[in-house]
Amino acid sequence: MRKEVCTVTRPAYHYRPEKNWINDPNGLCQINGWYHLFYQYNPHGCQWGDIHWGHARSRDMLHWEDMPIALAPDAGKGEIHCFSGSCCKDEEGRPHFFYTSIGCAEDGRDCVEGAQQWMAEPTDEAMTRLVQSDEWALTDDMHGDMHITDWRDPYVIRWKGQYVMVLGGCLDGRGCILLYTSADRKHWRYRHVLAMAEVSDGVPWECPNLFPVDDRMVLFYSPCGKVMVRVGTLDEEMRFHQESEEVLDPGERQGYYAPQAFHDEAGRTILLGWMPDCDGEKAAERKGWSGVMSLPRVLHIREGRLSAEPLPGVESLAVWHPMALRPGHTCLAEHARRMMARLHCRITDGPLVMTILATADGAEKTTLTLTSNGEMTLNRDQSSLADGPNKTPISRMVTLGEDGSADIFLAVDESTVECAVNGQWLSGRVYPTSEDAAQAWVAFDGMIEGKIGLVEEE
Ligand code: FRU
């Protein structure tokens, strides 16, 4: 049986605006207690296009209040899209925004060859509107003879008394991250290539982020594929010394892309990503929306690698029940389209198989497997009876404890799945068609302890 129409796939405890297209989180910051999320937004449709900055604010990054569109392309300045960017606070804690301005090809300002980096300033404390200034624009000619294409996504931090900006793009066809410095946020100097792809395949590296976490520098980027993260240090010359590289989250356009990190007023480093929809071309029109934000994750360095935990507070969205499972095949919950789980077990002989969003007859089900060699996979081949959704598996390696131990966090919200094992995450989208695809099971040969949480509709 094939079904065309998906039932409820709209996430309930993940942020998205009422309708239309969204992608990357932008300009993340916290000002006087309020968290601000800006995001790539098409106010006129549910496909990518006519890119503005949408805006929402929150006291806890879990319950969001929609705000008016913050940044709109300024036609008078030849601008047609406001691409991704970030917020950087000055010495007094005032926020300033940087983003990529795209114009028309006829004006030599398309996204491949003619992107410019502009600044925008808020008009009031609630940041109801950001007003662009092209007075301090960065233009490609600052690189001399270098041939840079797809130059975009400024990410700016204040570090050791100066401003540091990274930008993504392609240099001679190789994806790259470029670094710039400024004493006053307005006059920028190009320094060098911070990182570059080994192959020249014309694929740009997008949305780079460079920021300190604990005693390390973290560099991540979205290379039109799996989001990658490097941990290392930055020297006085602004050169990055890499100590490790791994996948940050393998979801890419099927679950997790273009994340952005920022430091909040409590000094925490918080990460938020875009969870793209992948339910087929016609689905967005039918639903009237596309794209959702991930759950916020708090970053730390643990044993030399980046580790992420759900923001404390995420668990308060659910009503929890303790559990201890004996070896075998056990039902976790019956009505669990919106659920979370915290599980602890030792994957010595593995595998652990968690089945979610399953119908009683198993006609629709999604499974997450974790094997004893640390491979985690989201299997989506039976996740939906509809033809449209992408059903390829999503996999990554995770580091298990020496005794095989795995601390697992799982969050399911209708069509979003996010799973962390020992702080390493995998996210994906799935589209069950049946409202009864709501059971959760665990199959495992060992003992499992933990708790399971159900998220009620508000
Ligand atoms: C990443 C991205 C960015 C760009 C934006 C445009 O998803 O392609 O590189 O600024 O989306 O919406």
Side-chain angles (χ1 to χ4, degrees):
M1 181 181 58
R2 293 274 159 204
K3 288 195 188 172
E4 257 318 303
V5 183
C6 294
T7 53
V8 197
T9 58
R10 187 191 174 90
Y13 62 93
H14 287 65
Y15 175 73
R16 63 154 291 106
E18 191 51 37
K19 54 184 182 148
N20 298 328
W21 168 274
I22 66 165
N23 56 298
D24 321 354
N26 295 152
L28 294 174
C29 57
Q30 188 185 22
I31 312 284
N32 295 333
W34 284 103
Y35 289 98
H36 291 269
L37 159 64
F38 302 88
Y39 51 86
Q40 296 280 283
Y41 182 54
N42 177 358
H44 304 119
C46 43
Q47 308 291 345
W48 185 91
D50 193 13
I51 291 297
H52 292 54
W53 278 28
H55 182 198
R57 68 174 184 176
S58 167
R59 285 282 181 194
D60 58 6
M61 287 198 82
L62 301 170
H63 304 87
W64 293 95
E65 176 188 339
D66 286 315
M67 298 286 284
I69 287 176
L71 182 65
D74 186 336
K77 292 182 169 174
E79 192 175 49
I80 56 174
H81 298 294
C82 300
F83 272 21
S84 283
S86 63
C87 172
C88 179
K89 291 184 187 174
D90 63 20
E91 298 80 349
E92 272 94 51
R94 283 186 305 250
H96 305 275
F97 293 83
F98 299 83
Y99 74 100
T100 301
S101 173
I102 304 294
C104 311
E106 299 82 72
D107 299 338
R109 287 201 45 213
D110 71 3
C111 68
V112 179
E113 295 282 349
Q116 298 184 358
Q117 319 308 330
W118 287 15
M119 286 185 69
E121 300 290 337
T123 53
D124 61 352
E125 197 192 291
M127 300 199 280
T128 330
R129 219 158 71 79
L130 305 178
V131 176
Q132 47 268 82
S133 141
D134 56 0
E135 194 185 348
W136 306 106
L138 276 70
T139 53
D140 181 33
D141 50 15
M142 73 193 296
H143 304 108
D145 292 339
M146 292 164 71
H147 184 226
I148 296 168
T149 48
D150 291 294
W151 186 48
R152 56 177 174 257
D153 308 336
Y155 183 84
V156 181
I157 55 168
R158 208 152 50 81
W159 193 70
K160 295 196 173 171
Q162 61 184 327
Y163 293 92
V164 180
M165 176 189 289
V166 283
L167 280 160
C170 254
L171 175 58
D172 298 327
R174 288 165 69 181
C176 68
I177 302 170
L178 304 155
L179 186 138
Y180 311 76
T181 51
S182 166
D184 62 1
R185 291 190 317 276
K186 293 170 181 164
H187 303 87
W188 291 90
R189 183 175 144 218
Y190 166 64
R191 301 292 291 269
H192 47 250
V193 176
L194 195 65
M196 184 144 82
E198 277 166 19
V199 288
S200 170
D201 54 8
V203 176
W205 284 9
E206 301 181 308
C207 300
N209 279 217
L210 174 74
F211 54 92
V213 181
D214 301 333
D215 60 349
R216 287 288 185 278
M217 258 311 181
V218 171
L219 175 66
F220 63 70
Y221 56 98
S222 296
C224 299
K226 294 177 184 174
V227 181
M228 301 300 292
V229 59
R230 297 178 179 185
V231 173
T233 53
L234 197 65
D235 68 20
E236 297 299 318
E237 296 301 309
M238 303 286 155
R239 300 273 176 193
F240 188 76
H241 300 276
Q242 181 179 325
E243 293 163 4
S244 66
E245 180 175 44
E246 65 173 332
V247 171
L248 179 69
D249 190 312
E252 51 176 296
R253 293 301 284 260
Q254 280 84 52
Y256 196 83
Y257 196 67
Q260 186 172 89
F262 73 107
H263 295 293
D264 76 353
E265 290 177 336
R268 302 181 295 188
T269 314
I270 303 179
L271 180 75
L272 198 70
W274 163 44
M275 300 187 78
D277 270 276
C278 55
D279 46 354
E281 267 174 32
K282 294 191 211 124
E285 301 296 337
R286 207 163 49 219
K287 300 184 309 203
W289 58 269
S290 183
V292 54
M293 290 299 161
S294 71
L295 291 176
R297 306 172 186 173
V298 181
L299 303 181
H300 279 289
I301 303 294
R302 303 234 194 272
E303 289 166 17
R305 65 173 175 77
L306 193 72
S307 171
E309 278 295 316
L311 185 78
V314 164
E315 289 189 12
S316 68
L317 299 172
V319 177
W320 291 87
H321 310 278
M323 46 164 262
L325 298 181
R326 306 202 171 284
H329 197 220
T330 316
C331 183
L332 289 178
E334 290 280 346
H335 304 286
R337 300 275 295 201
R338 300 164 184 179
M339 57 121 28
M340 293 181 208
R342 277 265 184 207
L343 307 175
H344 181 81
C345 56
R346 283 172 51 188
I347 318 279
T348 28
D349 303 319
L352 168 74
V353 182
M354 296 178 279
T355 302
I356 49 172
L357 298 172
T359 50
D361 62 1
E364 282 189 324
K365 65 176 181 187
T366 297
T367 61
L368 262 158
T369 53
L370 181 58
T371 61
S372 53
N373 67 351
E375 186 169 16
M376 164 157 65
T377 306
L378 182 69
N379 303 289
R380 301 184 299 164
D381 54 332
Q382 290 172 269
S383 58
S384 175
L385 290 172
D387 285 329
N390 184 308
K391 294 176 195 165
T392 55
I394 303 173
S395 286
R396 70 164 297 159
M397 297 306 292
V398 297
T399 308
L400 299 175
E402 268 173 29
D403 58 353
S405 61
D407 272 314
I408 301 170
F409 171 78
L410 170 67
V412 177
D413 188 4
E414 300 289 347
S415 55
T416 70
V417 182
E418 290 159 276
C419 187
V421 175
N422 297 341
Q424 294 171 298
W425 290 67
L426 179 156
S427 307
R429 303 295 305 275
V430 288
Y431 303 91
T433 61
S434 162
E435 274 177 53
D436 303 333
Q439 300 198 3
W441 293 82
V442 167
F444 185 54
D445 280 342
M447 290 290 293
I448 304 177
E449 284 178 3
K451 53 182 184 170
I452 171 134
L454 296 179
V455 183
E456 310 285 333
E457 213 165 332
E458 289 201 346

